[in-house]
Amino acid sequence: MKIPYYNISSIKAFALEGWTLGKTHGLPHWQRVERNGILLSLKEYNGSLYLRKDINLKVIRLFAYLHDKCRLGNHNDWKHGERAADMLYTIRNTLLKDLTSEEFHLLEKACRFHTTMHKTGNPTIDICFDADRLDLGRVGIEPH
């Protein structure tokens, strides 16, 4: 099984730029969210793994590195998703210029609502939410 390659090195560098909050919501967390998202995007068929056709892996990988970019602290910052979604518009014509309008909308919604919604019904966005929540153990929360 081959995972499609999307070069997101510039997004990773952007996410790390000016990051001062450490590892709790930083690079190690983002990497685990990316891994979780990839794993949740797979399905098994006849003993082989395939990438689900109903999800957008590029959006999931971008979400992993951008969803916490606008945190002001490591505790109870419930507005950080809204700030991250708003920040996306500032990089829409540069770092995110290759996204289609649909991909940008999915990423914006995933960032905006990842702290306030459980499910949207959209498989790509819901995988973003679940990929993040599967890493809650790092702060002592066991996801259901």
Side-chain angles (χ1 to χ4, degrees):
M1 198 228 35
K2 185 176 178 180
I3 301 289
Y5 176 75
Y6 306 111
N7 185 352
I8 61 170
S9 59
S10 59
I11 293 295
K12 291 178 185 180
F14 172 76
L16 286 167
E17 188 177 294
W19 186 256
T20 61
L21 297 181
K23 296 179 181 180
T24 301
H25 290 98
L27 184 61
H29 167 60
W30 304 334
Q31 290 170 325
R32 288 188 299 270
V33 172
E34 180 182 30
R35 182 201 63 218
N36 291 342
I38 291 169
L39 292 173
L40 290 170
S41 299
L42 302 176
K43 68 176 181 175
E44 184 180 354
Y45 181 74
N46 286 337
S48 295
L49 291 175
Y50 296 91
L51 187 63
R52 289 174 45 181
K53 293 182 181 191
D54 61 339
I55 61 96
N56 187 307
L57 190 57
K58 184 190 319 182
V59 170
I60 292 166
R61 291 186 64 216
L62 291 170
F63 169 84
Y65 291 94
L66 296 172
H67 74 284
D68 283 335
K69 172 66 174 160
C70 295
R71 276 191 158 275
L72 299 178
N74 281 316
H75 305 285
N76 300 328
D77 183 1
W78 296 107
K79 298 281 188 181
H80 78 273
E82 291 178 31
R83 288 192 300 275
D86 293 342
M87 174 272 306
L88 296 177
Y89 290 93
T90 69
I91 60 171
R92 174 66 175 116
N93 295 320
T94 55
L95 294 173
L96 300 177
K97 68 181 181 229
D98 294 332
L99 292 185
T100 66
S101 293
E102 179 184 351
E103 288 171 330
F104 183 81
H105 174 73
L106 291 170
L107 179 60
E108 190 269 343
K109 190 169 182 180
C111 287
R112 184 170 304 281
F113 297 114
H114 79 277
T115 58
T116 59
M117 293 180 78
H118 284 285
K119 296 286 179 200
T120 64
N122 179 286
T124 296
I125 296 171
D126 291 348
I127 285 176
C128 291
F129 292 177
D130 289 346
D132 186 33
R133 291 183 185 126
L134 282 171
D135 197 40
L136 284 172
R138 79 193 186 288
V139 292
I141 299 171
E142 184 178 333
H144 297 286

